[in-house]
Amino acid sequence: AVYNWAVAEGRFLIDRDLEQRRRVCVLGQEARDEIFGDRPFLGREIKVNGQRYTVVGLMSERKLFDQDFGNQVLIPVTTAQRRFFGNQYIGALIAHAHSGQDVPAVTAAIEKTLRKRHGHQAQYQIISGRSILEQVEQTILIMKMATGGIAAISLLVGGIGIMNIMLVSVTERT
């Protein structure tokens, strides 16, 4: 399958790139500007960790959770596993849904696929933007409650102090 959701020029990585562990890459906008400037870049080679990779595409500008994809060079995960890491497992996977309403269905499909392929003993964690938002909201609620508790204690202590001063003042006059 070809994924064009974030490609400005050329193409994104395809299944054949993964299967054949090809030395191809897709550049972010900043990486392209730094390496090639205004010169043509599609079909040219760059060195990544001392190895040559052919540029097949350029990512459009995209930010996700304050992560800018502009300065990245994307290569097939199978190529990275073989040439850089020497292992057969994936450390992290980022998936994007077309809309916010699709997130629960996409998350469920990913979890179902992971369980089907790796069983219940597999160690993985699925984090969605919605779950991060829920955690932030829960943290804000806890902070509001803590601040409210501190304010209540402060008012109580201040009230007792004012009450004592008034009591002393009235006692001196009588």
Side-chain angles (χ1 to χ4, degrees):
V2 178
Y3 306 99
N4 290 323
W5 55 269
V7 176
E9 291 183 47
R11 67 170 175 87
F12 197 67
L13 305 173
I14 58 175
D15 291 341
R16 195 171 293 148
D17 295 334
L18 294 167
E19 292 164 1
Q20 297 177 359
R21 295 183 176 100
R22 289 183 178 165
R23 289 187 188 185
V24 294
C25 66
V26 178
L27 299 177
Q29 298 272 345
E30 292 175 32
R32 188 268 324 253
D33 292 342
E34 187 175 322
I35 297 169
F36 295 107
D38 293 336
R39 297 178 313 219
F41 58 92
L42 288 177
R44 301 212 28 217
E45 290 185 343
I46 64 169
K47 280 191 175 182
V48 177
N49 203 22
Q51 300 175 17
R52 294 184 181 277
Y53 287 81
T54 303
V55 178
V56 296
L58 174 69
M59 299 284 288
S60 59
E61 291 186 34
R62 184 176 184 119
K63 286 188 178 185
L64 180 67
F65 299 123
D66 284 337
Q67 181 182 6
D68 187 5
F69 290 98
N71 60 0
Q72 294 186 353
V73 176
L74 305 175
I75 63 173
V77 67
T78 51
T79 305
Q81 287 174 326
R82 180 177 174 194
R83 300 190 185 281
F84 296 134
F85 309 125
N87 61 34
Q88 294 298 317
Y89 62 87
I90 297 173
L93 174 70
I94 299 173
H96 299 273
H98 287 290
S99 68
Q101 291 81 15
D102 296 339
V103 171
V106 170
T107 303
I110 290 171
E111 187 164 10
K112 182 179 177 183
T113 302
L114 287 172
R115 281 226 173 102
K116 185 177 177 183
R117 287 193 171 197
H118 303 290
H120 292 284
Q121 294 84 9
Q123 296 181 358
Y124 59 86
Q125 182 179 14
I126 298 176
I127 302 171
S128 70
R130 200 169 271 173
S131 66
I132 292 171
L133 183 61
E134 289 172 0
Q135 288 177 350
V136 168
E137 287 175 349
Q138 186 176 10
T139 303
I140 289 172
L141 178 65
I142 291 170
M143 295 299 281
K144 283 181 180 178
M145 290 173 57
T147 305
I150 291 171
I153 291 171
S154 298
L155 284 173
L156 180 68
V157 170
I160 290 172
I162 291 171
M163 184 178 68
N164 283 337
I165 289 173
M166 291 175 70
L167 180 66
V168 167
S169 178
V170 168
T171 304
E172 282 182 0
R173 287 185 182 177
T174 56

